Amino acid sequence: MDYIDYIIIALKLIVGLSILNVWLIQPTKPTKWRGGNAQTIVEEFKVYGLSKNFCYVIGFLKVSLALILLASILFDFLNLIGSIGLSILLLGSIIMHIKVKDPLYKSFPAFLFIILNLIIIFFTI
């Protein structure tokens, strides 16, 4: 393996584990990144004008795609599914922050993870 392969693995771990952390470990904990004044993920979706059920659908998709991205460390054919899928959902996050006129810093994690996913895509195609 080349050094770039190790960097890509590290990026996949950072993105995948971070998404899992947000959706499985900290969904009910307040963070400075939540939209509006929301304290939980469900409240954040309400701020965006989205339903609790939609929150669960997005959560399922993000967790699934994060797991796919992590699995792509061993199974290369999953690279694009995980990276592109997460990038699309993260773009949706940025759009929602803009919609509710959040300060730009609240979009930073989504923007950073899109950039990391684009790097993964670039070096795995």
Side-chain angles (χ1 to χ4, degrees):
M1 278 203 315
D2 198 6
Y3 74 94
I4 196 70
D5 295 322
Y6 291 106
I7 292 171
I8 296 304
I9 289 170
L11 294 180
K12 288 177 181 182
L13 288 169
I14 291 166
V15 173
L17 294 175
S18 295
I19 298 292
L20 293 176
N21 176 55
V22 168
W23 284 90
L24 299 178
I25 296 173
Q26 297 193 16
T28 59
K29 296 180 182 173
T31 73
K32 66 180 181 177
W33 313 110
R34 298 221 186 272
N37 294 319
Q39 300 295 305
T40 69
I41 284 183
V42 172
E43 287 178 16
E44 186 173 12
F45 273 69
K46 287 180 185 175
V47 167
Y48 301 145
L50 303 170
S51 71
K52 189 176 187 178
N53 288 337
F54 192 71
C55 176
Y56 294 143
V57 169
I58 295 298
F60 174 79
L61 291 172
K62 282 193 176 180
V63 167
S64 298
L65 290 166
L67 291 171
I68 288 169
L69 185 63
L70 292 172
S72 75
I73 294 169
L74 296 175
F75 305 104
D76 288 338
F77 68 94
L78 296 173
N79 281 323
L80 293 179
I81 297 167
S83 290
I84 293 172
L86 282 173
S87 294
I88 291 167
L89 292 177
L90 291 164
L91 180 60
S93 299
I94 293 171
I95 291 168
M96 289 295 106
H97 281 294
I98 292 169
K99 175 187 171 194
V100 298
K101 297 179 174 64
D102 275 336
L104 282 180
Y105 79 87
K106 290 195 176 198
S107 296
F108 176 75
F111 178 75
L112 174 63
F113 292 145
I114 288 173
I115 297 300
L116 296 181
N117 274 304
L118 292 175
I119 293 168
I120 292 166
I121 291 165
F122 179 79
F123 285 102
T124 58
I125 55 172

